[in-house]
Amino acid sequence: MVDHLANTEINTQRIAAVENCFGASGQPLAVPGRVLLGEGILTKECRKKPKPRIFFLFNDILVYGSIVINKRKYNSQHIIPLEDVTLETLPDTLQMKNRWMIKTSKKSFVVSAASLTERKEWISHLEECIRHLLTKMGRQPATEHAAPWIPDKATDICMRCTQTKFSTLTRRHHCRKCGFVVCAECSRQRFLMPRLSPKPLRVCNLCYLQLLTEKKKEAEVEHRQLEPICSAVPGYEPSSGDDSDKSDDDRADQWPADTEFYISAVSWSSFHS
């Protein structure tokens, strides 16, 4: 059915409408064989507070962005290749219901639907697209995923030392390896994780030690593999390099606990059901 709709005029018009809503800030979405299957508003658990986001499901990518004017203008476009996506259903919390996690190698985050039925529909459509795409590409499901960030409001103290209390002057930071909310003293290190960024990223002290151990083991394996070459070629020495950079986090804001996040009645809409 998707292949049949790929080159239809109605599909072309719908993709063009999405591109127009994102405007110049968005990337082109019309490519041969791509089909827009549906859209809906989900609540994304962000660092500072849950926020409504518009999501578009295509047969090969998932696109989401911030809502400026629903059905008319969106920004902050994100494009996720479906072959990199793994889904995980999560239990309800007091604040959020009908939750599940979208996991990728570069970024993982939690979303929630307005109803259990809507969550089932989203997950069903996503899993079907992922399964079809992986079969077509001859690939296995992704196994390595980025850790989701724990929301700022989830804790008032550092999740590593459990001693430092956060305040206006004592800022929250996030470890890019485990996603924990940590204080500056517990996250002074940076580590290069090419899967996430070309620059060294902030990590907590515990993850830093673990990453160093893993790097040391990899170096030992590489050294053993190079030993035959080194012994065969006089004067051969493998090169090494180092790089560093600094990054910081935005200041966390305080948000009312009773804020309403489901600002629209728009739910999952399947265009080709």
Side-chain angles (χ1 to χ4, degrees), residues 19-216:
E19 288 183 337
N20 290 335
C21 286
F22 279 104
S25 65
Q27 297 296 317
L29 299 173
V31 299
R34 179 169 290 168
V35 177
L36 177 58
L37 299 175
E39 69 174 86
I41 293 178
L42 299 172
T43 300
K44 179 177 178 288
E45 294 187 11
C46 302
R47 174 186 173 180
K48 297 178 181 179
K49 66 173 183 176
K51 299 176 182 178
R53 294 287 184 260
I54 184 69
F55 282 79
F56 298 94
L57 176 61
F58 297 80
N59 59 324
D60 61 337
I61 59 174
L62 180 66
V63 178
Y64 73 92
S66 302
I67 303 169
V68 181
I69 304 174
N70 192 33
K71 297 292 185 180
R72 293 181 59 186
K73 186 177 181 180
Y74 308 122
N75 60 21
S76 303
Q77 183 192 72
H78 297 266
I79 301 176
I80 303 175
L82 287 181
E83 68 268 19
D84 193 35
V85 172
T86 302
L87 307 177
E88 179 183 348
T89 303
L90 300 176
D92 293 346
T93 65
L94 292 177
Q95 296 78 21
M96 306 287 290
K97 300 184 182 301
N98 310 310
R99 304 162 67 237
W100 76 95
M101 187 184 299
I102 298 175
K103 300 189 290 186
T104 77
S105 60
K106 294 185 177 296
K107 184 177 184 179
S108 299
F109 55 92
V110 176
V111 294
S112 62
S115 67
L116 181 60
T117 299
E118 185 181 342
R119 181 179 74 170
K120 290 180 178 179
E121 290 178 349
W122 267 105
I123 292 178
S124 175
H125 288 298
L126 279 163
E127 289 181 338
E128 182 178 356
C129 289
I130 293 169
R131 183 166 51 250
H132 183 270
L133 187 60
L134 290 176
T135 300
K136 184 178 180 180
M137 300 175 67
R139 290 181 52 178
Q140 295 296 317
T143 56
E144 294 188 9
H145 307 104
W149 284 19
I150 304 297
D152 284 0
K153 291 174 63 176
T155 179
D156 292 327
I157 62 173
C158 173
M159 299 177 71
R160 282 305 183 200
C161 68
T162 68
Q163 300 296 321
T164 302
K165 292 185 177 181
F166 298 119
S167 65
T168 304
L169 299 178
T170 305
R171 298 179 54 193
R172 292 169 167 85
H173 300 281
H174 277 83
C175 171
R176 270 58 168 184
K177 180 67 169 60
C178 65
F180 278 23
V181 183
V182 291
C183 64
E185 190 65 29
C186 289
S187 59
R188 291 191 176 278
Q189 304 294 340
R190 302 290 193 278
F191 201 90
L192 181 62
M193 293 180 283
R195 182 167 52 87
L196 300 181
S197 172
K199 297 181 180 181
L201 301 175
R202 178 188 294 270
V203 293
C204 68
N205 297 341
L206 178 60
C207 286
Y208 181 73
L209 294 176
Q210 293 175 343
L211 288 166
L212 280 181
T213 301
E214 293 173 3
K215 185 177 181 180
K216 182 179 179 181

